[in-house]
Coordinates of all heavy atoms in Angstrom, one line a residue:
V20 N 24.9 -22.4 9.8 CA 26.3 -22.6 10.2 C 26.4 -23.4 11.5 O 27.2 -24.3 11.7 CB 27.0 -21.2 10.4 CG1 28.3 -21.3 11.2 CG2 27.3 -20.6 9.1
V22 N 24.0 -25.5 12.7 CA 23.6 -26.9 12.5 C 24.7 -27.6 11.7 O 24.9 -28.8 12.0 CB 22.2 -26.9 11.8 CG1 21.9 -28.2 11.3 CG2 21.2 -26.4 12.7
G23 N 25.3 -27.0 10.7 CA 26.4 -27.6 10.0 C 27.6 -28.0 10.8 O 28.1 -29.1 10.7
L25 N 27.6 -28.4 14.0 CA 27.2 -29.5 14.9 C 27.2 -30.8 14.1 O 27.5 -31.9 14.7 CB 25.8 -29.2 15.5 CG 25.2 -30.2 16.5 CD1 26.1 -30.3 17.7 CD2 23.8 -29.8 16.8
A29 N 29.0 -34.4 15.0 CA 28.1 -35.4 15.5 C 27.8 -36.5 14.5 O 27.5 -37.7 14.9 CB 26.8 -34.8 16.0
L48 N 15.1 -19.9 15.9 CA 15.0 -19.3 14.6 C 13.7 -18.7 14.3 O 13.5 -17.6 13.8 CB 15.5 -20.2 13.5 CG 15.5 -19.7 12.1 CD1 16.4 -18.6 11.9 CD2 15.7 -20.9 11.1
P50 N 11.0 -17.5 16.0 CA 10.6 -16.2 16.4 C 11.5 -15.0 15.9 O 11.0 -13.9 15.7 CB 10.8 -16.2 18.0 CG 10.8 -17.7 18.3 CD 11.4 -18.4 17.1
P55 N 9.7 -10.4 10.3 CA 9.9 -10.1 8.9 C 9.0 -10.9 7.9 O 8.6 -10.3 6.9 CB 11.4 -10.5 8.7 CG 12.0 -10.4 10.0 CD 10.9 -10.8 11.0
G71 N -5.4 0.1 -11.6 CA -6.2 1.0 -10.8 C -6.4 0.4 -9.4 O -7.5 0.6 -8.7
L73 N -4.6 -0.3 -5.4 CA -3.7 -0.3 -4.3 C -3.8 -1.6 -3.5 O -4.8 -1.9 -3.0 CB -4.0 0.9 -3.4 CG -3.2 0.9 -2.0 CD1 -1.7 1.0 -2.2 CD2 -3.8 2.1 -1.2
R77 N -2.8 -8.8 1.5 CA -3.8 -9.5 0.7 C -5.0 -8.6 0.4 O -5.9 -9.0 -0.3 CB -4.3 -10.7 1.5 CG -3.1 -11.7 1.7 CD -3.7 -12.8 2.5 NE -2.6 -13.7 2.9 CZ -2.6 -14.6 3.9 NH1 -3.7 -14.7 4.6 NH2 -1.6 -15.3 4.2
D86 N -9.0 9.3 -1.6 CA -9.2 10.7 -1.8 C -7.8 11.4 -2.0 O -6.9 11.3 -1.2 CB -9.8 11.2 -0.5 CG -10.2 12.7 -0.6 OD1 -10.0 13.3 -1.6 OD2 -10.5 13.3 0.5
R88 N -7.0 14.4 -1.9 CA -6.7 15.5 -0.9 C -6.0 14.9 0.3 O -5.1 15.5 0.8 CB -7.9 16.2 -0.5 CG -8.5 17.2 -1.7 CD -9.6 17.9 -1.2 NE -10.7 16.8 -0.9 CZ -11.8 17.1 -0.3 NH1 -12.2 18.3 -0.1 NH2 -12.6 16.1 -0.1
A93 N -1.2 14.4 3.6 CA -0.1 13.5 4.3 C 1.2 13.9 3.8 O 2.2 13.6 4.5 CB -0.5 12.0 3.9
D121 N 7.1 3.0 9.3 CA 6.4 4.3 9.4 C 5.0 4.0 9.0 O 4.7 2.9 8.5 CB 7.0 5.3 8.6 CG 6.6 6.7 8.9 OD1 5.8 6.9 9.9 OD2 7.1 7.7 8.3
S122 N 4.1 5.0 9.1 CA 2.7 4.8 8.6 C 2.3 6.0 7.9 O 2.7 7.1 8.1 CB 1.8 4.4 9.8 OG 1.7 5.6 10.6
G130 N -14.9 8.5 3.2 CA -14.6 9.0 4.5 C -13.9 8.1 5.4 O -13.6 8.4 6.6
A132 N -10.9 6.2 7.1 CA -9.5 6.4 7.3 C -8.8 5.0 7.3 O -9.2 4.1 7.9 CB -9.2 7.1 8.6
I135 N -1.6 2.7 6.4 CA -0.7 1.8 5.6 C 0.7 1.9 6.2 O 1.3 2.9 6.4 CB -0.6 2.3 4.1 CG1 -2.0 2.4 3.5 CG2 0.3 1.3 3.3 CD1 -2.0 3.1 2.2
T137 N 4.6 1.4 6.2 CA 5.5 1.5 5.0 C 6.9 1.7 5.6 O 7.1 2.2 6.6 CB 5.1 2.7 4.1 OG1 6.1 2.8 3.1 CG2 5.1 4.0 4.8
D139 N 9.1 3.3 3.3 CA 9.5 4.5 2.6 C 8.3 5.4 2.4 O 7.6 5.4 1.4 CB 10.1 4.1 1.2 CG 10.8 5.3 0.5 OD1 10.7 6.4 1.0 OD2 11.5 5.0 -0.4
L144 N 3.9 7.9 -0.8 CA 3.0 9.1 -1.0 C 3.2 9.7 -2.3 O 2.2 10.1 -3.0 CB 3.4 10.2 0.1 CG 2.8 9.9 1.5 CD1 3.4 10.9 2.5 CD2 1.3 9.9 1.5
G154 N -5.9 9.0 -11.9 CA -7.2 8.3 -11.9 C -8.3 9.2 -11.5 O -9.5 9.0 -11.8

Side-chain angles (χ1 to χ4, degrees):
V20 166
V22 168
L25 181 64
L48 175 67
L73 164 63
R77 298 177 186 160
D86 184 6
R88 288 180 301 176
D121 198 357
S122 67
I135 304 168
T137 179
D139 192 348
L144 286 171

